[in-house]
Amino acid sequence: MTAGEPSHTDKDGAVPPRETSTKQPTADIAPAGLRPLSIANTMSTIGAKRTNPGQASLSKTIAASQTKVAIPRQRVAAAPRYNRRVPRACSSCRQRKTKCSGDTPICRQCRELRATCSYPDGWREKTKKQVEALSEKAQEYENLLKELRGMVEFSAAERIRSLLDKYGPEVDGSSQSQSRSQSATPQDDIPENDEPSSPSSIGSLEAIDRVEEDINRSPHARATGYMGKNSEITWMQRLQREADQRAQGLPGSLEFGQDPKIDNAVALHAVNYHLDDLDISVPEPVQLYAMPPREVADHMFEAYLTTVHPFFPIINKPLFSAQYRTFFDSAARPGDKWLAILNMIFAIGAKHGHLIAAPWRGTEKDHLIYLTRARILSMNGDVLFSHPDLQQVQVEGLIAFYLLASDQINRAWRISALAVRSAITLGINMKSSSPATPDLSKEARYRVWWCLYTFEHLLGIMTGRSTCIRDGVCTSPFPIPFEEEQLQMPEAVEVLTDAALRDERINNVMASSRIRQMPLHPVNGKDASHHTRAKNTEWVKNLPINYGLCHLYYCDLTVVVQEIVNKVYSVDCVMVPWAQIEQRISELKSRTDIWKSSLPTGLDFTRKDDNGPDILRCKISLALHYYSARITLGRPCLCRRDARRRGAHPSFSHEMAVITLHSARHMLDLVPDEPDAIQLYRIAPWWCILHYLMQATTVLLLELSFGTVHMPEEENNFVALSKKAIRWLFAMSEQSIASRRAWQLCDLSLRKLAQGMKYDVSDMPSYPYTPEPKSTISPEPLAGQSVSQADGDYWGPQLEHLPVSVPEGPPREDHDTSTAELMTSLTADAQDSYFPYDPISGEFMRSFFPNSNSNSNENDNWEL
């Protein structure tokens, strides 16, 4: 009897009897308690033993009707059973191993049992989803390879390109054509085959993988050495060629009618304004242990600590200052290397005293005397073949710094490499986990390394050469943003003693954190990533402004600048498509933007705040470094033909050329319109200010030589800025021979451009060019400068017992000739390429390393 159907009962309400069927296949299915009552049981219940014929016929009728109605095989409470096969069963029925009805979205069994019902995918759906997942994964891998192709070395990039061409050349070709379309407008006359960075496609990166002249042909060429494409000397070489073209009335190389493949007719040493071709030796013997008077020594020491040490903290200022006072106030006898460090500090301070015309300055050659003493005390041939220590690293670093300050960059380049090698020998470039080394000593060594790192990369930018510090060689953490006198403060001690906290607050939040070497096994394994870290710079930004904070940001930007050299000016750029170089430039530009946005408010050089001289020095140093990085980054785009603006949508090269010109303008805006060289040497980084000014001046003059194709509306402003820069070089030439050379080069270039482009240069200084001396030791003293001092002026209070040797008069004028004859008589292999030979008497020589049997405690007290 089916639910919902009316039951057939008699008038008494009893269930009528039903005829027993011979075939009841489901009679035994229902439980006994739920089976319907049979006719026999019913009749026995009401006590009917017999029936009459009428009742029998009635019973047959009821039984027949009952047979038709009560056939259903299911009862309401009985579990269903299905004979049909369903295409798939749900997961719950599979787990219970019961037959599934196949109803969707929920089968009957799951609905009755109130279980979760879900149908697994069939093999067709599984196959389809797997194919879709693999296709998506392959597409992501392909996109990743395309991105990495512009970031890896040339051999790996070629393998990636061949792989992409093998499995999808049509996709790769379309992507390359799309990338090229973003670089150049349709009107640009660029060759269709612009894949390699050939001279026709790159411009300023032409011949980056070869040397175009014989460097060994002459002493002047050897003194200059090789200069790479990111050196302003190479830019000056290009400027001289362009200026000669303009002076003859010919168009510039970026204008129609000029062949861009014309060989450079100007040698590099002819446009080198540095002084490596001049001698730095002292013609007479020097007193090895002599010292200047205490008053002069204090001035030179203070000049070094004020202008140089904040940006080059290679010594421990509190410790060395205490040792300096002990040395002059008592009869203490330090070691030779400590005396060499002190003499180099005097040499650098004396050089600065001459630039600012200080009243306490000595004779013009006094800084060379200090250099000679330090060289004998620490750079003897025996020392060079001995194992270095920390003091030797400091001496070599200070000698290299002095040579740069004296415009001897080729010599500084060689000594800087020696200092870096000595530092790497001692492991100063690595993070120290030695429990025997105090935290303050670790921090001092970290600062020594970052001094060498920033100095080496500055020389790399100036010379265009690859540095000796390879990527990934440095794991030394950044110096903490405190001065040496502040390292005992609780905030400094907190990060000084906790390496993890130091990484969290300093190393991992700087702009160069993605560039520096990652650990071999990151904390999160293969899922670790630099770009997913939160860049929380609030702790650094909220620190009070000090020289330590400025040095931290200077080091951070130096890492970014070195990445610019590696990615844009490397040799592999010759064969890298320009579209990939554009991607590199764009990425590096964003990193410089991140660095600038992360500056604290007190160091933001775009804000015109009234600060003291200390903060002003920090701002000027960071600003010059930043604008120099932008000029270096955008310089290759300045000479590209597709950098000309055509149409409403300028090319990427045009945008970067504009950024380069704006950076040059902002750099010159840092100095006032009226030149004051002495004030500039007091506030700015005087040891490399000429390099920064030459970068900006050369870029502006190059733009004028190109016909101001990038910013034609700014032509008059660029002329005015060029004049301003040349006036500054002229003012600086009164104290600097290198500045005089730079002024001559730029002034001649501007006058040649004015001749062909009708510029007015009547307001420029027109003094005749003075001949340059053949030696940095001038036979005549400067006007208004003291000629000599007393015999005992260079002797310390405790060293008066040593013999005195003073030259009888000024050096002979034929000294240069005799030196030249001596040098020509020596072979190239035998001559001292670092410094000429000094005829120093043997009585002034002594052991450069104290005897181990001597009083070692006294020498140990003078270790830095």
Side-chain angles (χ1 to χ4, degrees):
M1 184 169 56
T2 306
E5 294 181 354
S7 60
H8 299 276
T9 58
D10 56 11
K11 60 181 180 180
D12 296 328
V15 179
R18 185 178 63 175
E19 183 177 39
T20 304
S21 176
T22 59
K23 295 181 180 181
Q24 294 182 358
T26 59
D28 57 342
I29 296 178
L34 298 177
R35 292 176 183 175
L37 295 176
S38 63
I39 298 176
N41 293 336
T42 304
M43 296 304 295
S44 62
T45 302
I46 61 177
K49 300 295 184 180
R50 292 182 180 179
T51 59
N52 53 28
Q55 291 177 342
S57 61
L58 180 60
S59 299
K60 291 180 180 180
T61 304
I62 295 175
S65 62
Q66 184 69 21
T67 302
K68 294 180 179 179
V69 175
I71 276 178
R73 299 177 180 179
Q74 285 188 349
R75 302 296 183 266
V76 176
R81 182 173 182 178
Y82 304 94
N83 290 329
R84 67 183 181 91
R85 293 179 61 86
V86 295
R88 55 182 173 175
C90 69
S91 301
S92 300
C93 291
R94 287 173 181 267
Q95 186 177 4
R96 296 195 306 268
K97 296 182 180 181
T98 59
K99 192 170 183 61
C100 182
S101 65
D103 298 336
T104 55
I106 303 176
C107 70
R108 292 187 179 183
Q109 287 81 349
C110 292
R111 183 172 61 248
E112 292 173 359
L113 298 176
R114 296 182 179 179
T116 302
C117 185
S118 60
Y119 289 91
D121 296 331
W123 67 272
R124 288 188 179 90
E125 289 79 3
K126 285 184 179 179
T127 304
K128 183 179 180 181
K129 288 185 178 180
Q130 289 176 356
V131 170
E132 292 177 353
L134 291 176
S135 299
E136 183 180 358
K137 184 182 296 185
Q139 186 63 37
E140 291 181 358
Y141 286 157
E142 183 178 355
N143 295 335
L144 179 61
L145 287 175
K146 290 179 181 179
E147 294 178 3
L148 293 178
R149 187 172 58 178
M151 305 178 185
V152 298
E153 58 183 3
F154 175 71
S155 59
E158 283 297 308
R159 293 181 58 188
I160 293 175
R161 185 189 61 80
S162 61
L163 182 64
L164 293 176
D165 292 343
K166 179 180 180 181
Y167 293 102
E170 68 280 353
V171 178
D172 186 53
S174 62
S175 64
Q176 290 184 7
S177 61
Q178 182 180 2
S179 300
R180 287 195 300 269
S181 63
Q182 297 175 358
S183 165
T185 57
Q187 295 82 3
D188 292 333
D189 53 337
I190 305 176
E192 295 181 0
N193 185 16
D194 195 19
E195 287 300 311
S197 298
S198 58
S200 62
S201 62
I202 293 297
S204 64
L205 295 185
E206 53 194 327
I208 197 173
D209 60 337
R210 57 186 181 271
V211 180
E212 296 181 314
E213 60 179 276
D214 186 6
I215 305 297
N216 194 44
R217 63 178 178 177
S218 65
H220 288 282
R222 291 193 297 269
T224 301
Y226 168 75
M227 293 292 172
K229 294 299 180 181
N230 55 313
S231 171
E232 70 271 13
I233 296 178
T234 308
W235 305 352
M236 179 60 67
Q237 186 185 40
R238 174 69 179 269
L239 174 61
Q240 292 294 324
R241 189 192 72 185
E242 298 289 341
D244 291 339
Q245 292 292 113
R246 289 295 185 180
Q248 299 174 14
L250 300 176
S253 61
L254 290 191
E255 296 183 358
F256 296 104
Q258 174 66 27
D259 185 5
K261 297 183 179 180
I262 295 179
D263 295 334
N264 294 329
V266 181
L268 276 175
H269 67 83
V271 294
N272 181 20
Y273 59 89
H274 298 292
L275 308 181
D276 289 287
D277 58 326
L278 301 185
D279 189 17
I280 59 171
S281 63
V282 179
E284 71 275 1
V286 298
Q287 308 299 325
L288 190 57
Y289 297 106
M291 284 289 141
R294 177 65 183 271
E295 182 180 0
V296 177
D298 290 343
H299 283 298
M300 292 186 294
F301 189 65
E302 184 63 24
Y304 173 85
L305 294 181
T306 303
T307 62
V308 176
H309 179 76
F311 311 99
F312 193 72
I314 199 170
I315 64 171
N316 189 306
K317 180 180 176 181
L319 176 61
F320 197 89
S321 299
Q323 295 172 350
Y324 171 81
R325 291 188 295 267
T326 303
F327 171 68
F328 273 96
D329 295 341
S330 63
R333 180 67 178 88
D336 286 351
K337 291 185 179 180
W338 188 93
L339 291 174
I341 294 175
L342 181 62
N343 275 280
M344 288 314 307
I345 292 176
F346 288 160
I348 297 172
K351 185 66 179 178
H352 182 253
H354 288 297
L355 291 176
I356 63 174
W360 48 265
R361 68 187 185 277
T363 58
E364 186 182 5
K365 64 181 180 180
D366 58 349
H367 55 91
L368 293 175
I369 295 176
Y370 299 132
L371 170 66
T372 304
R373 288 176 184 155
R375 188 164 61 87
I376 300 172
L377 291 169
S378 62
M379 295 288 288
N380 180 271
D382 295 336
V383 178
L384 294 178
F385 283 91
S386 302
H387 304 298
D389 56 10
L390 183 58
Q391 283 188 331
Q392 183 66 27
V393 174
Q394 293 171 315
V395 171
E396 292 167 355
L398 286 170
I399 291 178
F401 187 93
Y402 163 80
L403 292 173
L404 172 64
S406 301
D407 300 294
Q408 303 276 343
I409 63 169
N410 207 24
R411 291 185 172 101
W413 171 260
R414 302 184 65 183
I415 303 300
S416 175
L418 181 62
V420 171
R421 293 289 188 184
S422 300
I424 295 178
T425 302
L426 297 176
I428 301 178
N429 60 311
M430 308 293 287
K431 182 179 180 179
S432 176
S433 59
S434 172
T437 307
D439 293 329
L440 292 177
S441 180
K442 293 179 182 178
E443 179 64 22
R445 299 180 187 189
Y446 294 155
R447 301 195 177 204
V448 170
W449 169 253
W450 282 107
C451 286
L452 300 179
Y453 184 96
T454 55
F455 185 79
E456 173 73 8
H457 290 296
L458 173 62
L459 289 176
I461 293 294
M462 297 177 67
T463 61
R465 306 167 186 170
S466 58
T467 65
C468 62
I469 304 177
R470 297 179 57 86
D471 295 337
V473 74
C474 169
T475 59
S476 173
F478 278 126
I480 62 176
F482 297 95
E483 299 180 17
E484 293 96 327
E485 296 85 355
Q486 302 172 339
L487 294 182
Q488 301 293 341
M489 297 173 56
E491 297 86 352
V493 174
E494 189 177 16
V495 295
L496 195 63
T497 57
D498 191 343
L501 185 63
R502 182 174 189 157
D503 292 338
E504 177 183 351
R505 292 183 174 179
I506 302 175
N507 297 323
N508 296 340
V509 302
M510 306 306 293
S512 62
S513 59
R514 293 181 58 185
I515 300 176
R516 300 194 62 198
Q517 182 186 22
M518 292 181 58
L520 182 61
H521 300 289
V523 178
N524 297 327
K526 63 181 181 180
D527 297 329
S529 177
H530 279 282
H531 59 80
T532 58
R533 294 174 179 171
K535 304 294 184 179
N536 185 9
T537 60
E538 293 300 324
W539 184 82
V540 178
K541 285 187 174 182
N542 292 332
L543 291 175
I545 305 301
N546 60 82
Y547 282 129
L549 184 64
C550 174
H551 185 60
L552 170 64
Y553 279 94
Y554 187 90
C555 296
D556 185 34
L557 184 57
T558 301
V559 178
V560 178
V561 175
Q562 182 58 32
E563 188 72 4
I564 293 175
V565 176
N566 295 339
K567 298 299 183 183
V568 180
Y569 293 93
S570 57
V571 176
D572 69 315
C573 291
V574 176
M575 299 303 298
V576 175
W578 175 251
Q580 296 184 11
I581 296 180
E582 285 184 348
Q583 295 176 1
R584 298 180 183 182
I585 295 176
S586 179
E587 180 183 358
L588 294 168
K589 172 183 171 295
S590 64
R591 292 180 182 178
T592 58
D593 294 335
I594 292 174
W595 178 87
K596 184 176 179 297
S597 63
S598 65
L599 284 175
T601 305
L603 294 179
D604 187 359
F605 44 81
T606 60
R607 298 169 59 93
K608 304 298 183 180
D609 299 332
D610 188 11
N611 305 117
D614 294 339
I615 298 180
L616 183 59
R617 286 192 182 95
C618 293
K619 284 187 174 182
I620 291 180
S621 177
L622 294 178
L624 292 172
H625 197 18
Y626 172 75
Y627 294 132
S628 174
R630 306 275 280 196
I631 292 175
T632 304
L633 179 62
R635 171 65 181 85
C637 300
L638 195 67
C639 295
R640 280 186 56 86
R641 288 182 175 269
D642 63 337
R644 293 172 295 175
R645 181 170 185 174
R646 294 184 177 183
H649 302 285
S651 65
F652 177 83
S653 297
H654 174 82
E655 295 176 355
M656 289 305 303
V658 171
I659 291 177
T660 304
L661 296 173
H662 280 310
S663 299
R665 168 188 288 177
H666 293 322
M667 183 181 291
L668 293 177
D669 288 341
L670 295 174
V671 296
D673 295 336
E674 188 65 27
D676 188 352
I678 293 180
Q679 185 65 18
L680 182 66
Y681 287 135
R682 292 178 183 272
I683 300 298
W686 54 272
W687 55 92
C688 59
I689 185 62
L690 180 59
H691 156 67
Y692 290 132
L693 291 180
M694 285 299 292
Q695 272 191 322
T697 308
T698 308
V699 164
L700 292 176
L701 291 176
L702 273 174
E703 175 66 9
L704 293 177
S705 68
F706 297 152
T708 326
V709 295
H710 305 102
M711 302 176 68
E713 68 280 0
E714 297 290 336
E715 182 177 9
N716 294 331
N717 293 332
F718 289 160
V719 173
L721 286 172
S722 300
K723 291 181 178 180
K724 174 183 177 180
I726 294 174
R727 291 192 185 98
W728 269 99
L729 294 175
F730 178 77
M732 295 165 59
S733 64
E734 297 181 7
Q735 289 85 18
S736 170
I737 300 176
S739 298
R740 185 189 309 170
R741 290 184 176 183
W743 165 66
Q744 293 177 359
L745 290 171
C746 295
D747 185 69
L748 286 175
S749 299
L750 180 60
R751 294 183 184 276
K752 289 180 180 180
L753 294 176
Q755 180 180 354
M757 306 182 73
K758 309 305 180 182
Y759 295 145
D760 183 15
V761 292
S762 59
D763 56 343
M764 295 299 295
S766 57
Y767 298 106
Y769 299 122
T770 56
E772 298 176 359
K774 296 182 180 181
S775 173
T776 52
I777 304 175
S778 176
E780 297 293 335
L782 295 178
Q785 185 173 336
S786 58
V787 178
S788 62
Q789 299 181 3
D791 293 346
D793 284 351
Y794 283 94
W795 289 90
Q798 73 279 13
L799 301 176
E800 295 181 356
H801 60 280
L802 294 178
V804 181
S805 176
V806 181
E808 298 178 358
R812 298 190 308 271
E813 295 183 359
D814 60 347
H815 169 72
D816 293 334
T817 304
S818 59
T819 304
E821 295 175 355
L822 175 63
M823 299 305 293
T824 53
S825 63
L826 300 176
T827 62
D829 295 334
Q831 71 180 18
D832 185 357
S833 300
Y834 285 96
F835 305 95
Y837 173 72
D838 285 328
I840 300 175
S841 174
E843 61 179 306
F844 299 110
M845 306 295 292
R846 64 184 295 273
S847 174
F848 296 102
F849 292 95
N851 192 344
S852 58
N853 298 329
S854 61
N855 188 2
S856 59
N857 295 330
E858 181 180 356
N859 294 327
D860 292 341
N861 294 333
W862 293 90
E863 293 290 336
L864 297 183

